[in-house]
Amino acid sequence: MIELEGLTKRYGEKVAVDGLTFTVRPGIVTGFLGPNGAGKSTTMRMILGLDHPTAGDVRIDGTHYDRLEDPLTCIGALLEAKGVHPGRSAYHHLLCLAQSNGLPRQRVHEVLDTVGLTAVARKKAKGFSLGMGQRLGIAAALLGDPRILMFDEPVNGLDPEGIHWIRTLMKSLAAQGRTVFVSSHLMSEMALTADHLVVIGQGRLLADTSMAEFIERNSRSYVRIRGPQRERLLDVLHQAGITAVESGDGSLEVDGSKAEYIGELAARHRLVLHELSPRQASLEEAFMRLTAQSVEYHAHTGVSAPPQRWGDDWKRG
Amino acid sequence: MAATQVVRSEWTKIRSVASTVWTLSLAVVVTIALGMLISALSRNEYETLGARERLSFDPTFISFAGMSLGQLAMIVFGVLVVSNEYSTGMIRASLAAVPRRGTFLLSKLTVATALAFVVSMATSFAAFFLGQAMLGAYRASIGDEGVLRAVIGGGLYMTLIALFSMGVAAMLRSPMLSLGILMPFFFLISNILGNVDATEKVGRFLPDQAGSRIMQVVTPPGDDTPYGPWGGLGIMALWVLAAVVGGYVLLRRRDAQ
């Protein structure tokens, strides 16, 4: 269990993490979602005691990180940056971490096997691909067989097979009763793995909810209608008190109504329909709506003027 | 978390990168080879020296002449041991594994300093005996007064140079910045300050000038240095202590990146 209480990090004037309070519970995968620069990595570094919070508190199973005996046996983490000496072999990288926490040499061989790096264990890390580096980071996280696991953008750089592997791994770790906390900036990725969702934007908590509830609340359902007699269709819908919105490709979209009802309505008025389909807005759209106010770097589509104060935030990690 | 675990971990780290071997080998080879060369040249020049210069002829100190260059490799060793953690991002994994930063730094410095000590002592003795062999008739003997102290002192001097570099690197974090300050400082600035009359009195309190006093057996006539061999090494040790404490304080206070 990871408990954050009013966790805040300020770099000078800039607030990177702003009073975060939430709890990451065991037995499920908790997704930590936010656009780039939202403060996810900073939060994770504070959980590990690497960055000092400006205010607030974070505890691992009730204890401050720097009070943990052999912390790798309690919480294992994969951080975003590769963080491996390029001249050191995967084996020695893991061995020095294992030794610092009094773990047996045998554990190094076991985790190398788990992540599938046994064949290249003695090779220097500088020859590793992004995906292999990511696997080495995951091996380091698993080293102490910890009850809590934290992954920062774990699917970055992995091929489809690797992505499938890490998803299965996270789910099985949670199924074993462990706490799994995983960050991503991709809603679609979270939808496939996470049971619970913590969403932040510009360092602030935007949502702390179960995945099912988030989908329920945030996904817009609508009916898409297409037909040759568009004007009459609009009239009929209007008379029935239904607001239809014209979408770009000449079809109509109706929020909230049942497709069955619209179909019956059209039949009663002898209107030909070419399409009548119930739709759900993607979770990606829901996520973008939620964080729209807090995205740090907007792509100004269709706007010719350059963004104001561009480059002000370049220092932010 | 026992400190012995962390010491073992740091030993694994230091022995599993190539830079350890090549920086230390370079320190050994340069110190000994340059010392032998200058010793051989000094033997040939002895005949041409005046009476005053012969009085200050110090065969022991001459055989350590290679250290002026060899210490640069020691500096690189000390800097890389610490700053590699930062330049590679390994520091985050290291401090996540060992969150007590004092334990982390102390273990790292202990392992690296112990290794530097063994290599430096062996280098100092080798440089002395091989240098004396080159000096032929003008050589000093290890049994002469003050010679053994100078040879052991040479080993301590190189060890302290390495530890000083580790402390500076712990403060500055960047390997380029650390080397960019330490290399010209020890190779140029300290020498200039020590040889210009106006700054000589300040220059001799710099770590390398004060520390290298312990390798001198013969005090040149008219020398007015206000400290002896061990006093000089003590001054150097204070510099080292300041650098290490500075590195520790900054490591504790800063975010790990």
Side-chain angles (χ1 to χ4, degrees):
Chain A
M1 185 146 72
I2 310 171
E3 293 158 287
L4 288 78
E5 226 184 277
L7 198 66
T8 302
K9 180 70 180 180
R10 243 177 253 122
Y11 296 106
E13 290 284 287
K14 182 107 185 156
V15 183
V17 174
D18 193 358
L20 283 187
T21 301
F22 62 86
T23 301
V24 186
R25 283 183 300 274
I28 52 170
V29 176
T30 301
F32 191 30
L33 194 64
N36 287 329
K40 302 187 295 293
S41 296
T42 307
T43 304
M44 287 185 153
R45 286 202 305 271
M46 284 193 283
I47 291 173
L48 292 175
L50 296 175
D51 287 14
H52 305 295
T54 313
D57 201 21
V58 54
R59 284 163 191 272
I60 315 295
D61 282 342
T63 313
H64 283 121
Y65 193 89
D66 62 359
R67 293 266 154 261
L68 293 172
E69 276 305 309
D70 298 330
L72 297 186
T73 61
C74 179
I75 173 168
L78 162 77
L79 290 178
E80 199 173 10
K82 217 163 142 185
V84 180
H85 191 297
R88 193 174 281 135
S89 71
Y91 172 76
H92 280 118
H93 174 73
L94 294 172
L95 180 62
C96 69
L97 293 176
Q99 286 173 329
S100 70
N101 277 241
L103 301 166
R105 206 169 276 252
Q106 184 53 32
R107 256 322 270 172
V108 175
H109 296 292
E110 284 168 19
V111 292
L112 278 167
D113 195 47
T114 306
V115 301
L117 287 180
T118 305
V120 293
R122 295 284 177 171
K123 296 250 164 47
K124 288 181 177 180
K126 68 177 144 203
F128 281 18
S129 66
L130 196 55
M132 286 158 88
Q134 207 73 329
R135 282 170 186 264
L136 180 55
I138 291 163
L142 298 174
L143 203 53
D145 196 19
R147 297 183 301 278
I148 305 171
L149 285 129
M150 195 160 78
F151 301 102
D152 195 3
E153 305 272 356
V155 302
N156 270 4
L158 290 181
D159 53 17
E161 188 252 347
I163 292 175
H164 180 73
W165 172 75
I166 182 78
R167 275 183 202 145
T168 316
L169 177 75
M170 286 191 293
K171 282 182 182 165
S172 69
L173 288 168
Q176 291 162 8
R178 299 177 211 252
T179 305
V180 181
F181 189 44
V182 51
S183 82
S184 176
H185 60 276
L186 296 174
M187 183 68 217
S188 50
E189 183 53 42
M190 291 289 88
L192 288 166
T193 37
D195 308 296
H196 194 87
L197 205 57
V198 172
V199 185
I200 65 167
Q202 284 196 342
R204 257 181 238 116
L205 189 70
L206 299 177
D208 179 4
T209 158
S210 77
M211 194 71 212
E213 198 184 321
F214 180 84
I215 292 171
E216 173 79 31
R217 195 180 299 168
N218 284 287
S219 53
R220 179 175 80 109
S221 58
Y222 62 95
V223 181
R224 192 176 136 97
I225 317 157
R226 220 153 43 81
Q229 301 141 290
R230 224 162 58 94
E231 296 310 315
R232 274 208 62 206
L233 192 58
L234 273 169
D235 282 345
V236 166
L237 288 171
H238 184 71
Q239 279 162 23
I242 297 169
T243 319
V245 182
E246 292 185 60
S247 73
D249 58 352
S251 65
L252 301 174
E253 286 179 7
V254 174
D255 266 348
S257 297
K258 286 266 183 285
E260 291 84 349
Y261 175 67
I262 294 172
E264 283 157 16
L265 197 67
R268 238 181 284 139
H269 291 84
R270 303 185 153 271
L271 281 168
V272 176
L273 293 185
H274 290 163
E275 181 182 351
L276 175 69
S277 51
R279 299 271 177 126
Q280 283 228 315
S282 73
L283 286 173
E284 207 70 53
E285 284 170 37
F287 167 56
M288 280 168 69
R289 264 210 314 279
L290 185 65
T291 58
Q293 300 308 308
S294 62
V295 176
E296 204 176 12
Y297 308 99
H298 280 290
H300 288 246
T301 40
V303 178
S304 57
Q308 289 284 298
R309 289 150 57 86
W310 185 87
D312 272 8
D313 304 322
W314 67 276
K315 266 191 166 169
R316 173 91 158 268
Chain B
M1 169 177 306
T4 49
Q5 293 176 7
V6 188
V7 166
R8 276 180 65 204
S9 157
E10 289 298 330
W11 172 242
T12 299
K13 275 187 197 170
I14 208 167
R15 72 184 172 84
S16 60
V17 291
S19 61
T20 305
V21 177
W22 66 255
T23 49
L24 291 177
S25 311
L26 206 62
V28 173
V29 171
V30 169
T31 304
I32 295 174
L34 192 62
M36 286 170 76
L37 180 71
I38 291 176
S39 298
L41 292 173
S42 300
R43 178 173 70 172
N44 293 336
E45 271 181 11
Y46 188 81
E47 293 302 322
T48 65
L49 294 179
R52 210 182 124 80
E53 284 163 319
R54 286 188 188 189
L55 267 180
S56 59
F57 188 81
D58 188 343
T60 310
F61 194 59
I62 287 169
S63 61
F64 293 136
M67 258 181 214
S68 60
L69 215 55
Q71 69 178 357
L72 298 186
M74 242 0 184
I75 291 170
V76 179
F77 167 74
V79 165
L80 288 186
V81 159
V82 174
S83 64
N84 267 346
E85 290 271 353
Y86 294 97
S87 60
T88 62
M90 177 75 185
I91 187 73
R92 286 183 285 269
S94 296
L95 289 182
V98 186
R100 279 162 220 178
R101 297 184 178 191
T103 309
F104 166 72
L105 188 66
L106 195 69
S107 304
K108 182 178 279 300
L109 298 195
T110 301
V111 168
T113 306
L115 182 60
F117 175 78
V118 171
V119 172
S120 300
M121 264 320 159
T123 306
S124 188
F125 274 91
F128 173 77
F129 285 115
L130 292 168
Q132 299 316 308
M134 292 290 130
L135 278 161
Y138 313 112
R139 67 174 174 266
S141 158
I142 191 82
D144 294 349
E145 199 195 333
V147 170
L148 185 62
R149 177 260 297 158
V151 178
I152 290 173
L156 292 176
Y157 171 84
M158 277 185 102
T159 309
L160 287 175
I161 283 281
L163 186 53
F164 182 71
S165 308
M166 293 175 217
V168 170
M171 287 192 274
L172 298 177
R173 296 184 283 189
S174 150
M176 283 305 133
L177 187 62
S178 308
L179 289 175
I181 288 174
L182 286 170
M183 298 280 252
F185 178 79
F186 280 112
F187 198 59
L188 290 174
I189 297 170
S190 172
N191 281 324
I192 294 167
L193 290 178
N195 287 316
V196 175
D197 285 343
T199 53
E200 196 192 344
K201 286 198 157 49
V202 183
R204 60 192 176 197
F205 287 100
L206 293 174
D208 56 332
Q209 305 250 338
S212 58
R213 170 84 181 182
I214 197 156
M215 292 179 273
Q216 284 181 20
V217 175
V218 179
T219 313
D223 180 78
D224 63 344
T225 312
Y227 50 76
W230 291 108
L233 201 72
I235 292 170
M236 186 187 193
L238 288 177
W239 279 92
V240 173
L241 188 69
V244 169
V245 169
Y248 168 70
V249 169
L250 287 176
L251 177 69
R252 276 212 56 143
R253 216 184 274 164
R254 276 191 300 224
D255 292 339
Q257 46 196 329

